[in-house]
Amino acid sequence: LKGSDLPNEYVVLSAHFDSWDGASGATDNGTGTITMMEAIRLLQAAYPAPRRTILVGHWSSEEQGLNGSRAFATDHPEVIQGLQASFNQDNGTGRVENLSPAGLVEAGAWFGRWIAALPSDLSDPITLRLPGSPAGGGSDNASFICSGAPGFSLGSASWDYFSYTWHTNRDTFDKVVIDNVKHNATL
């Protein structure tokens, strides 16, 4: 979605495809991918001329070393240089409930203003962790952080993700909670 005023400044919404085992990869990470596809659809309808360019990235090979997002960061230095924020969703079908500025101290004020502007049904469940811990290498937001750009993870309610569906043959479409995916896309 091309920016109208600042087309060389970017916001990236991202998730990844990487079904790990003999399952469909619904919660790792079909739900994150659907969330970002729906988010850009909503933005196109409600905000067709954003100030900054908004990109959606669907990365591959996250489990093998963040290969898709790292390759994008390497191949697109113009995006990294102009990146204002990247938001990555990767951990199941739960509602986003944790936001962290990833240790980027100045980002806390921006997060606070964003959360304050949200309707309470979107903001009330969210814990804002300020300034937060530096991002680790567990998901694609780290590819942006490691490139010197702001990368943030949207942390979701677990829904037994790590103990039940994550990297198992139980990661199937019947585990998706579509109301949570809709909530996350709206957020």
Side-chain angles (χ1 to χ4, degrees):
L1 198 56
K2 187 76 168 174
S4 59
D5 296 338
L6 303 166
N8 296 323
E9 291 188 3
Y10 300 90
V11 174
V12 174
L13 309 176
S14 73
H16 65 264
F17 298 116
D18 75 343
S19 181
W20 182 263
D21 292 286
S24 60
T27 65
D28 188 15
N29 185 33
T31 50
T33 300
I34 292 167
T35 293
M36 296 313 181
M37 289 172 63
E38 179 63 4
I40 197 68
R41 188 193 69 78
L42 292 170
L43 285 166
Q44 285 174 324
Y47 194 42
R51 289 188 66 217
R52 293 173 177 86
T53 298
I54 303 171
L55 302 174
V56 176
H58 300 297
W59 318 122
S60 62
S61 194
E62 182 253 8
E63 296 293 347
Q64 291 73 37
L66 310 177
N67 293 336
S69 57
R70 281 189 316 125
F72 177 86
T74 299
D75 292 346
H76 295 281
E78 76 285 0
V79 173
I80 297 303
Q81 183 178 359
L83 191 64
Q84 303 303 295
S86 63
F87 298 97
N88 186 69
Q89 208 267 324
D90 164 29
N91 63 334
T93 191
R95 287 186 178 203
V96 170
E97 62 179 19
N98 292 300
L99 295 174
S100 169
L104 301 174
V105 177
E106 294 180 19
W110 292 100
F111 272 77
R113 284 192 289 277
W114 173 41
I115 297 300
L118 293 172
S120 62
D121 63 321
L122 292 174
S123 63
D124 286 351
I126 294 176
T127 300
L128 186 56
R129 302 182 191 285
L130 299 173
S133 300
S139 196
D140 294 293
N141 56 301
S143 294
F144 296 97
I145 290 285
C146 289
S147 297
F152 307 107
S153 178
L154 304 174
S156 298
S158 168
W159 281 80
D160 296 326
Y161 170 72
F162 290 108
S163 63
Y164 188 67
T165 62
W166 185 55
H167 296 182
T168 72
N169 60 356
R170 294 181 300 270
D171 191 1
T172 53
F173 292 107
D174 58 311
K175 309 306 185 304
V176 173
V177 179
I178 199 66
D179 286 341
N180 289 343
V181 174
K182 289 177 184 179
H183 176 272
N184 292 346
T186 304
L187 175 66

